[in-house]
Structures are given as structure tokens and as C-alpha cells.
């Protein structure tokens, strides 16, 4: 499990893949297209990650994994 303060890596998703930073914000959210009924509601966890340079990225926890401490060369 990942918790606030952990170093995490975004390893999939369209926007932030490859980003590594500190998890500082988490919130569970229901997600779904309510009226159309196409997608039943499901719970997703939104996270905020602060990168080393101070940039903040927002993504889903499911796109993240604990970061390994070795930095790829």
C-alpha cells in the first residue's frame, strides 16, 4: 500500500507516465457516467504527487507504484 509521504512512480496513463515524486494528497472518488448508465459507479483514488522540481501532477492511484530508489541512468 502507498501512503502520503511515499516516493511513487507513475508508470502508466496518458499524461504523467514516468513521473516520480512524493505522494502528498489522496482522495477516493466515485467515477462513472451516471445518467448514461454506460459505466457503473466505481471507486477510484485520486492522488497528488509533488515532483522534485516542485511541479505537482494529479493522477489515479492505480497508475502509480512505489518508486525504486535507484534512478535509471
Amino acid at each position: 500500500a502507498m501512503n502520503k509521504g511515499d516516493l511513487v512512480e507513475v508508470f502508466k496513463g496518458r499524461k504523467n507516465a514516468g513521473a516520480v515524486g512524493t505522494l502528498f494528497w489522496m482522495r477516493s472518488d466515485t467515477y462513472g457516467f451516471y445518467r448514461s448508465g454506460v459505466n457503473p459507479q466505481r471507486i477510484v483514488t485520486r492522488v497528488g504527487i509533488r515532483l522534485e522540481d516542485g511541479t505537482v501532477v494529479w493522477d489515479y492511484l492505480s497508475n502509480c507504484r512505489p518508486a525504486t530508489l535507484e534512478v535509471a541512468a
Side-chain angles (χ1 to χ4, degrees):
M2 291 173 275
N3 297 298
K4 284 183 197 172
D6 286 359
L7 194 65
V8 298
E9 172 193 3
V10 182
F11 72 100
K12 64 180 186 182
R14 290 190 306 275
K15 296 193 300 273
N16 303 314
V20 175
T22 304
L23 186 61
F24 75 94
W25 183 90
M26 294 174 86
R27 192 184 78 201
S28 291
D29 234 333
T30 50
Y31 173 87
F33 303 99
Y34 306 108
R35 287 186 203 83
S36 64
V38 169
N39 194 3
Q41 287 185 42
R42 58 196 176 97
I43 303 287
V44 294
T45 302
R46 295 284 295 164
V47 296
I49 299 164
R50 186 170 286 116
L51 309 186
E52 243 176 53
D53 65 1
T55 309
V56 168
V57 298
W58 304 96
D59 219 311
Y60 294 107
L61 187 63
S62 56
N63 286 346
C64 301
R65 64 184 172 198
T68 51
L69 290 177
E70 313 94 66
V71 177

